[in-house]
Amino acid sequence: MDLYTEGDPIADTKAPDGPIETRWERRRFEAKLVNPANRRKLTVIVVGTGLAGGSAAATLAEQGYHVKSYCYQDSPRRAHSIAAQGGINAAKNYRNDGDSVHRLFYDTVKGGDFRSRESNVHRLAEVSVNIIDQCVAQGVPFAREYGGLLDTRSFGGAQVQRTFYARGQTGQQLLLGAYQALERQIGLGNVEMNARHEMLELVVVDGRARGIVVRDLVTGEITTELADAVVLASGGYGNVFYLSTNAKGCNVTASWRAHRKGAHFANPCYTQIHPTCIPVSGDHQSKLTLMSESLRNDGRVWVPKAKGDNRAPKDIPEDERDYYLERIYPSFGNLVPRDIASRAAKNVCDEGRGVGPGGLGVYLDFADAIQRLGRKAIEAKYGNLFEMYERITGDDPYEVPMRIYPAVHYTMGGLWVDYDLQSSIPGLFVIGEANFSDHGANRLGASALMQGLADGYFVLPNTLPNYLANAGSFEKVDASHPDVVAARAAVEERIQKLLSINGDRTVDSFHRELGQIMWEHCGMERTEAGLRKAIDEIRALREQFWQRVRVPGDGEGLNQSLEKAGRVADFFELAELMCIDALHREESCGGHFRAEHQTPDGEAQRDDDRFAYVAAWEYTGDQPVLHKEDLQFEYVHPTQRSYK
Amino acid sequence: MAVTGILLVLFLILHMLGNLKVFTGETSFDHYAHWLREIGTPLLPSTWYLWIQRTVLAVAVLAHIGAATVLSMRAHAARPVPYAHRRKIHVNYAARTMRWGGVIILLFVIYHILDLTTGHLNPQGDPANPYGNVVADFAPERWYVTLFYVLALVTLGFHLRHGAFSAFRSLGQQTPKGERRARSAALVFAVVLVAGYLVVPFAVLTGLVA
Amino acid sequence: MNLTLRIWRQRGPEDKGRMVTYQVDDVSPDMSFLEMLDVLNERLILQGEEPVAFDHDCREGICGMCSLMINGEAHGPQRGTTACQLHMRQFSDGDTIDIEPWRARAFPVVKDLVVNRNAFDKIIAAGGYITAPTGSAPEAHSVPVAKNNADAAFESAACIGCGACVAACPNGSGMLFTAAKVTQLSLLPQGQPERYTRVIGMVDAHDEAGFGGCTNIGECAAACPKGIPLNTIGRLNRDYLKATSKRAGTPGS
């Protein structure tokens, strides 16, 4: 193809061989260790304070390393992990319902549509049980039963009850647990916390990641922070779509800067679209709010049978309604997996049968459930969600069916890492949503929290020391090193550039337009023609951006427009790579659906012969270079998913 | 605040009970007033007990004011720049008038001592005849004195309503149910106490006690 | 609808600051309060003026970043709602709305409506945790927790650390925030060993940060977007009294 070139395949991911259950133990045993007395002399930078970054910073500090932690928010407690609602999976088998490490491993590989690494996923399932122990010991108030033991529920269509939860605020409680462990280390002087600091560049010296350039968002001061290793835990890039369930500040800049410095970006086109979000209400919309997936347990999804039927929902008689999920997927009905539910909603809206402003919405109707179970029962189950819905839309879901529409929620792609979570730049480790490793092409519900904490509490603290054990041989660097000076100068120059354009459009207007292109062509359904068009449009818009954007104020002090401008500039480059990745992957798998590749009845058609690999992209400044990492399936054999 | 407040509240209860003796007649009331001076005799010389109690009360009052002053100063320091739009008040009025209410009560207490303890501001001012002093004090033509007493005592009621609840809370009242009880108890207590005090001047005013 | 906004503008920590009046027209009732400010900011940028700086992030009421005093009420007129979840249908055409930052010495203004809430982090660092280094945890089911305690702990743990309690308190006290964490951890068996050192550490850090003292008024709980109950302060007081009495430090007590 004309848009990229192909480079060498990735031969070694550093995963040990042997039986899969023994690999993680072997890796830990073979890892080099650092003498406790020497740990204090080693500095680790951790960017991001969510579940992955917060838990990693706390754990590394407990081990004795000197940690410097950074986040763009005003406090580490505000990282967007806090918004996760549903729960966290763990193979505890407390229910005696047939769960096991192997089953969680199996479900995750299958749920990822066979595009993840078996070794990594197995390790994730193994440490999942330690996570629950750890969080309980920290005082995370999980839901409990009357006997005082932990309650679990089934989530996202799983057939075992392995999801631990704290009402609808599991992410918040887990994050606060990690945050408190982190604050303890801050109080002890082991972690140097830098809130309201944004990483704007990675410092690479002698081929190794040795630090970052950050901007103090309050004073505007730009400084270089040096260390023996850098850990990125900066989250996903869903905000490339402008509208998503991510927080407004979520961005790709840390990852993208590292990518530009040599870290490969893997599977950028894998994005998860969540089917139950509150639809857009107008042009002013700034973000989308997720409504818990659990609503589909009792709500029925429908649209009018006729196009452009503008009657109020209560005026549409039963036989003029299309309960399309129940019709197309009789055995799973309203509980089909996220990607299928999302695409089905898009299809009916494309047919002109969508409801609400702009025709972008479908009904999620609780009338039957209220009649069957009574209003009280529904209130007990979903009361807080109904309240939230009413607060945002002004409609009472007890009386009027909810309107929902899919929204971008999670990005499975991210920086490529090996089994040790090290990127293709030595010394740069990537954890949590920022890496690509465990979810393949689709993430199962309640697995994001599991992966973030697994990486931060248990995996990285065991693999990073292996790298740090050789730190004695690293080149000495200080702020005057030419590579450090150059990195800093590049940041300053870019900021000056953004401030000096002084054009006639706001950053948000560009971001919104970029989001529309991505949603249209690189969203739930992708086609070759659409993706090619999108690439052209993105390039044209990016050029406009650099000529016409207006960033008011200066680089001194708090300047939220400047922050946004830098982030959007990086989103432009990422967006192009996402489209190229989506274009090159001529198959449908998980969150990536290519219209040309579907079964006769409209389901995703994988092509395991040609595409059972991880696409790791190398940045060149011109055409990206594709490196393939072949995926081997020794334990779980690829099958076609079917939910009919 | 809580500990000194409770001491003062105990005194208020005793003081109120003593006041109510006015309904038992002049001899009885004067006898009670005299007895107060003799508590503890012959172990203690005459009026010693009274002076001990007065000292304890004075210390409690000063400590109460001292603690309140510290809290006020901290509150003032904690918000050096005020809001341009006045903060809306969502909870009870009583809690919001503790400081000015306290000042009013202090002024009242000073007046009250000069009036009925030392007799300097009393129209009769006879230390041997407290009953007469009270009757003279609340005579109908001195309605403004009665009015002042009423205002001061209502202020005291507000002060007690929040103060009593707050004392429970400060000393560790910790359940929502207990909170409802503590609030009701504080309200009832404040109303009863204020009523108990106000019947005396009103009785004089209406000629029930003469 | 058309609105008049009076917004606190302050260039930086050293600037004196003042209220500035802006007119915003064509506001949709479906907009969130912050989206209405976005609209104003877009216009200001194109007019060559500095947009209004305000803190926000998740915009779904959970991160605790948004912090606006709206017409003298923390997070605005709707109970149990953060500013980001407040929608313009709560206001009427022609309204004048005053928007100010949280006011507290412990929360100095950074710029316009943005304040520094690092004092809250310091309170947590002074004891708002359970010491459980990674790897040291026993099996999760080895210690059952009575459901009512677990539920009450959750209720307190729902605090989002936004600072509305401080903003609303006539004393500028951060006691509800402190008490929420003390209550959560002291209700759980895992929190017992550090129970009394925790409360002393956290209350000391609270006082050091320059917050005012608590006089049990209750404005905090009325303003709290997450409904943290006022009785948590009673729990804190009880633990604090115990901790300051000699008994708490005695082995076996």
Coordinates of all heavy atoms in Angstrom, one line a residue, chain C residues 128-193:
Chain C
G128 N -4.6 9.2 56.1 CA -5.8 8.7 55.5 C -5.6 7.4 54.6 O -6.0 7.4 53.4
Y129 N -5.0 6.4 55.2 CA -4.7 5.2 54.5 C -4.7 4.1 55.4 O -4.6 4.3 56.7 CB -3.4 5.3 53.7 CG -2.3 5.8 54.6 CD1 -1.7 5.0 55.6 CD2 -1.8 7.2 54.6 CE1 -0.7 5.4 56.4 CE2 -0.9 7.6 55.4 CZ -0.3 6.8 56.3 OH 0.7 7.2 57.2
I130 N -4.6 2.9 54.9 CA -4.3 1.7 55.7 C -2.9 1.2 55.2 O -2.7 1.0 54.0 CB -5.4 0.6 55.5 CG1 -6.7 1.1 56.2 CG2 -4.9 -0.7 56.1 CD1 -7.8 0.2 56.0
T131 N -2.0 1.0 56.1 CA -0.7 0.6 55.7 C -0.8 -0.9 55.3 O -1.0 -1.8 56.1 CB 0.3 0.7 56.8 OG1 0.4 2.1 57.1 CG2 1.7 0.3 56.4
A132 N -0.6 -1.1 54.0 CA -0.7 -2.5 53.4 C 0.1 -2.6 52.2 O -0.4 -2.5 51.1 CB -2.2 -2.9 53.1
P133 N 1.5 -2.6 52.4 CA 2.3 -2.6 51.2 C 2.0 -3.8 50.2 O 1.5 -4.8 50.7 CB 3.7 -2.8 51.8 CG 3.6 -2.4 53.2 CD 2.2 -2.7 53.6
T134 N 2.1 -3.5 49.0 CA 1.8 -4.5 48.0 C 2.4 -5.8 48.2 O 3.7 -5.9 48.5 CB 2.2 -4.0 46.6 OG1 1.7 -2.7 46.4 CG2 1.7 -5.0 45.5
G135 N 1.7 -6.9 48.2 CA 2.2 -8.2 48.4 C 2.0 -8.7 49.8 O 2.0 -9.9 50.0
S136 N 1.7 -7.8 50.7 CA 1.6 -8.2 52.1 C 0.1 -8.6 52.5 O -0.1 -9.0 53.6 CB 2.0 -7.1 53.0 OG 1.1 -6.0 52.8
A137 N -0.8 -8.5 51.6 CA -2.2 -8.7 51.9 C -2.5 -10.2 52.2 O -2.1 -11.1 51.5 CB -3.1 -8.2 50.8
P138 N -3.3 -10.4 53.2 CA -3.8 -11.8 53.5 C -5.0 -12.1 52.5 O -5.5 -11.1 51.9 CB -4.4 -11.7 54.9 CG -4.7 -10.3 55.1 CD -3.8 -9.5 54.3
E139 N -5.4 -13.3 52.4 CA -6.5 -13.7 51.5 C -7.7 -12.8 51.9 O -8.1 -12.6 53.1 CB -6.8 -15.2 51.8 CG -8.2 -15.7 51.5 CD -8.7 -15.5 50.1 OE1 -7.9 -15.7 49.2 OE2 -9.9 -15.2 50.0
A140 N -8.4 -12.4 50.9 CA -9.5 -11.4 51.1 C -10.6 -11.9 52.0 O -11.2 -11.1 52.7 CB -10.1 -11.0 49.7
H141 N -10.9 -13.2 52.0 CA -12.0 -13.7 52.8 C -11.5 -14.1 54.2 O -12.3 -14.6 55.0 CB -12.6 -14.9 52.1 CG -13.8 -14.5 51.3 ND1 -14.6 -15.3 50.5 CD2 -14.3 -13.2 51.1 CE1 -15.5 -14.7 49.9 NE2 -15.4 -13.4 50.2
S142 N -10.3 -13.8 54.5 CA -9.8 -14.2 55.9 C -10.5 -13.3 57.0 O -10.6 -13.7 58.1 CB -8.3 -14.2 56.0 OG -7.8 -12.9 55.6
V143 N -10.9 -12.1 56.6 CA -11.5 -11.2 57.5 C -12.9 -10.8 57.0 O -13.0 -10.0 56.1 CB -10.7 -9.9 57.8 CG1 -11.3 -9.1 58.9 CG2 -9.3 -10.3 58.1
P144 N -14.0 -11.4 57.5 CA -15.3 -10.9 57.1 C -15.6 -9.5 57.7 O -15.1 -9.2 58.7 CB -16.3 -12.0 57.7 CG -15.4 -13.0 58.3 CD -14.1 -12.5 58.6
V145 N -16.4 -8.8 56.9 CA -16.8 -7.5 57.4 C -18.3 -7.4 57.4 O -18.9 -7.7 56.4 CB -16.3 -6.4 56.5 CG1 -16.7 -5.0 57.0 CG2 -14.8 -6.5 56.3
A146 N -18.9 -7.1 58.5 CA -20.4 -7.1 58.6 C -20.9 -6.1 57.5 O -20.4 -5.1 57.3 CB -20.8 -6.6 60.0
K147 N -22.0 -6.5 56.9 CA -22.5 -5.8 55.7 C -22.8 -4.3 56.1 O -22.6 -3.4 55.3 CB -23.7 -6.5 55.2 CG -24.3 -5.8 53.9 CD -25.3 -6.7 53.3 CE -26.2 -5.9 52.3 NZ -25.4 -5.3 51.2
N148 N -23.4 -4.1 57.3 CA -23.8 -2.8 57.6 C -22.6 -1.9 57.8 O -22.6 -0.7 57.4 CB -24.7 -2.7 58.8 CG -24.1 -3.4 60.0 OD1 -23.1 -4.1 59.9 ND2 -24.6 -3.1 61.2
N149 N -21.5 -2.4 58.3 CA -20.3 -1.6 58.4 C -19.7 -1.4 57.0 O -19.2 -0.3 56.7 CB -19.2 -2.4 59.2 CG -19.6 -2.3 60.7 OD1 -20.4 -1.4 61.1 ND2 -19.0 -3.1 61.5
A150 N -19.7 -2.4 56.2 CA -19.2 -2.3 54.8 C -20.0 -1.2 54.1 O -19.4 -0.3 53.4 CB -19.2 -3.6 54.1
D151 N -21.3 -1.2 54.2 CA -22.1 -0.3 53.5 C -21.9 1.2 54.0 O -21.8 2.1 53.3 CB -23.6 -0.6 53.7 CG -24.0 -1.8 52.8 OD1 -23.2 -2.3 52.0 OD2 -25.1 -2.4 53.0
A152 N -21.8 1.3 55.4 CA -21.5 2.6 55.9 C -20.2 3.1 55.5 O -20.0 4.3 55.3 CB -21.7 2.6 57.5
A153 N -19.2 2.2 55.5 CA -17.9 2.6 55.0 C -17.9 3.1 53.6 O -17.3 4.1 53.2 CB -16.9 1.4 55.1
F154 N -18.7 2.4 52.8 CA -18.8 2.8 51.4 C -19.4 4.2 51.3 O -19.0 5.1 50.5 CB -19.7 1.9 50.6 CG -19.9 2.3 49.2 CD1 -18.9 2.0 48.2 CD2 -20.9 3.2 48.8 CE1 -19.1 2.5 46.9 CE2 -21.1 3.6 47.5 CZ -20.2 3.3 46.6
E155 N -20.5 4.4 52.1 CA -21.2 5.7 52.1 C -20.2 6.9 52.3 O -20.2 7.9 51.7 CB -22.2 5.7 53.2 CG -23.3 6.8 53.0 CD -24.4 6.7 54.1 OE1 -24.0 6.2 55.2 OE2 -25.5 7.1 53.8
S156 N -19.3 6.7 53.3 CA -18.3 7.7 53.5 C -17.2 7.8 52.5 O -16.7 8.8 52.2 CB -17.6 7.5 54.9 OG -18.5 7.3 55.9
A157 N -16.9 6.6 51.9 CA -15.8 6.5 50.9 C -16.2 7.2 49.6 O -15.4 7.4 48.7 CB -15.4 5.1 50.7
A158 N -17.6 7.5 49.5 CA -18.0 8.1 48.2 C -17.6 9.5 48.0 O -17.8 10.1 46.9 CB -19.6 8.0 48.2
C159 N -16.9 10.1 49.0 CA -16.4 11.5 48.9 C -15.5 11.6 47.7 O -14.7 10.8 47.4 CB -15.6 11.8 50.2 SG -14.6 13.3 50.0
I160 N -15.7 12.7 46.9 CA -15.0 12.9 45.7 C -13.9 14.0 45.9 O -13.2 14.4 45.0 CB -15.8 13.3 44.5 CG1 -16.7 14.5 44.8 CG2 -16.7 12.1 44.1 CD1 -17.5 15.0 43.6
G161 N -13.8 14.5 47.1 CA -12.7 15.4 47.4 C -12.8 16.7 46.7 O -11.8 17.3 46.3
C162 N -14.0 17.2 46.4 CA -14.1 18.4 45.6 C -13.9 19.7 46.4 O -13.5 20.7 45.8 CB -15.5 18.4 44.9 SG -16.9 18.5 46.1
G163 N -14.2 19.6 47.7 CA -14.0 20.8 48.5 C -15.2 21.6 48.7 O -15.2 22.7 49.3
A164 N -16.4 21.2 48.3 CA -17.6 21.9 48.4 C -17.9 22.1 49.9 O -18.5 23.2 50.3 CB -18.8 21.2 47.8
C165 N -17.5 21.2 50.7 CA -17.8 21.3 52.2 C -17.1 22.5 52.8 O -17.6 23.2 53.6 CB -17.4 20.0 52.9 SG -15.8 19.3 52.4
V166 N -15.8 22.7 52.3 CA -15.0 23.8 52.8 C -15.7 25.1 52.3 O -15.8 26.1 53.0 CB -13.6 23.7 52.3 CG1 -12.8 24.9 52.7 CG2 -13.0 22.4 52.9
A167 N -16.0 25.1 51.0 CA -16.5 26.3 50.4 C -17.8 26.7 51.0 O -18.1 27.9 51.2 CB -16.8 26.0 48.9
A168 N -18.6 25.8 51.5 CA -19.9 26.1 52.0 C -19.9 26.4 53.5 O -20.7 27.1 54.1 CB -20.9 25.0 51.8
C169 N -18.8 26.0 54.2 CA -18.8 26.1 55.6 C -18.5 27.6 56.0 O -17.6 28.2 55.6 CB -17.6 25.2 56.2 SG -17.4 25.4 58.0
P170 N -19.3 28.1 56.9 CA -19.1 29.5 57.4 C -17.8 29.6 58.1 O -17.2 30.7 58.2 CB -20.2 29.7 58.4 CG -21.3 28.7 58.1 CD -20.6 27.5 57.5
N171 N -17.2 28.5 58.6 CA -15.9 28.5 59.3 C -14.8 28.2 58.4 O -13.6 28.2 58.8 CB -15.9 27.5 60.5 CG -16.9 27.9 61.5 OD1 -17.1 29.0 61.9 ND2 -17.6 26.9 62.1
G172 N -15.1 27.8 57.1 CA -14.0 27.4 56.2 C -13.3 26.2 56.7 O -12.1 26.0 56.6
S173 N -14.1 25.2 57.3 CA -13.5 24.0 57.9 C -13.6 22.9 56.9 O -14.5 22.8 56.1 CB -14.3 23.7 59.1 OG -13.9 22.4 59.6
G174 N -12.6 22.0 56.9 CA -12.6 20.8 56.1 C -12.9 19.6 56.8 O -12.4 18.5 56.5
M175 N -13.7 19.7 57.9 CA -13.9 18.6 58.8 C -14.7 17.5 58.1 O -14.5 16.3 58.4 CB -14.5 19.1 60.1 CG -14.2 18.2 61.3 SD -12.5 17.8 61.4 CE -11.8 19.1 62.4
L176 N -15.6 17.8 57.3 CA -16.4 16.7 56.7 C -15.6 15.8 55.8 O -15.7 14.6 55.8 CB -17.6 17.3 55.9 CG -18.6 16.3 55.4 CD1 -19.4 15.7 56.6 CD2 -19.6 16.8 54.4
F177 N -14.7 16.5 55.0 CA -13.8 15.7 54.2 C -12.9 14.8 55.0 O -12.8 13.6 54.8 CB -12.9 16.7 53.4 CG -11.7 16.0 52.7 CD1 -11.9 15.3 51.5 CD2 -10.4 16.0 53.3 CE1 -10.8 14.7 50.9 CE2 -9.4 15.3 52.7 CZ -9.6 14.7 51.5
T178 N -12.3 15.3 56.1 CA -11.5 14.6 57.0 C -12.3 13.4 57.7 O -11.8 12.3 57.7 CB -10.9 15.5 58.1 OG1 -10.4 16.7 57.4 CG2 -9.8 14.8 58.8
A179 N -13.5 13.8 58.1 CA -14.3 12.8 58.8 C -14.7 11.7 57.9 O -14.9 10.5 58.4 CB -15.5 13.5 59.5
A180 N -15.0 12.0 56.6 CA -15.4 10.9 55.7 C -14.4 9.8 55.6 O -14.7 8.6 55.7 CB -15.7 11.5 54.4
K181 N -13.1 10.2 55.5 CA -12.1 9.2 55.4 C -11.8 8.5 56.7 O -11.7 7.3 56.8 CB -10.8 9.9 54.9 CG -9.7 8.9 54.5 CD -10.1 7.8 53.5 CE -10.5 8.3 52.1 NZ -11.0 7.2 51.3
V182 N -11.8 9.3 57.8 CA -11.7 8.6 59.1 C -12.8 7.6 59.4 O -12.5 6.5 59.8 CB -11.7 9.7 60.2 CG1 -11.9 9.1 61.6 CG2 -10.4 10.6 60.2
T183 N -14.0 8.0 59.0 CA -15.1 7.1 59.3 C -15.0 5.8 58.4 O -15.2 4.7 58.9 CB -16.4 7.8 58.9 OG1 -16.6 8.9 59.8 CG2 -17.6 6.9 59.1
Q184 N -14.7 6.0 57.1 CA -14.6 4.8 56.3 C -13.6 3.8 56.9 O -13.8 2.6 57.0 CB -14.1 5.2 54.9 CG -13.9 4.0 53.9 CD -12.9 4.3 52.8 OE1 -12.6 5.5 52.5 NE2 -12.4 3.3 52.2
L185 N -12.4 4.3 57.2 CA -11.3 3.4 57.6 C -11.6 2.9 59.0 O -11.2 1.7 59.4 CB -10.0 4.1 57.5 CG -9.6 4.5 56.1 CD1 -8.3 5.2 56.0 CD2 -9.7 3.3 55.1
S186 N -12.2 3.6 59.9 CA -12.4 3.1 61.3 C -13.6 2.2 61.4 O -13.7 1.5 62.4 CB -12.5 4.3 62.3 OG -13.8 4.9 62.1
L187 N -14.4 2.1 60.3 CA -15.5 1.1 60.3 C -15.0 -0.3 59.9 O -15.7 -1.2 60.0 CB -16.6 1.6 59.4 CG -17.6 2.6 60.0 CD1 -18.4 3.2 58.9 CD2 -18.4 2.0 61.1
L188 N -13.8 -0.3 59.3 CA -13.4 -1.6 58.7 C -12.3 -2.2 59.6 O -11.5 -1.5 60.2 CB -12.7 -1.3 57.3 CG -13.7 -0.8 56.3 CD1 -12.9 -0.4 55.0 CD2 -14.7 -1.8 55.9
P189 N -12.4 -3.6 59.8 CA -11.4 -4.2 60.7 C -10.0 -3.9 60.2 O -9.1 -3.8 61.1 CB -11.8 -5.7 60.5 CG -12.7 -5.8 59.4 CD -13.3 -4.5 59.2
Q190 N -9.8 -3.8 58.9 CA -8.4 -3.5 58.4 C -7.9 -2.2 58.9 O -6.6 -2.0 59.0 CB -8.4 -3.5 56.9 CG -8.6 -4.9 56.3 CD -10.1 -5.2 56.1 OE1 -11.0 -4.5 56.5 NE2 -10.3 -6.4 55.6
G191 N -8.8 -1.3 59.3 CA -8.4 0.0 59.7 C -8.1 0.2 61.2 O -7.7 1.3 61.6
Q192 N -8.3 -0.9 62.0 CA -8.2 -0.7 63.4 C -6.8 -0.4 63.9 O -6.6 0.5 64.8 CB -8.8 -1.9 64.1 CG -10.3 -2.2 63.9 CD -11.1 -0.9 64.0 OE1 -11.0 -0.2 65.0 NE2 -11.9 -0.6 63.0
P193 N -5.7 -1.1 63.5 CA -4.4 -0.8 64.1 C -4.0 0.6 64.1 O -3.4 1.1 65.0 CB -3.5 -1.7 63.3 CG -4.3 -2.8 62.7 CD -5.7 -2.2 62.5

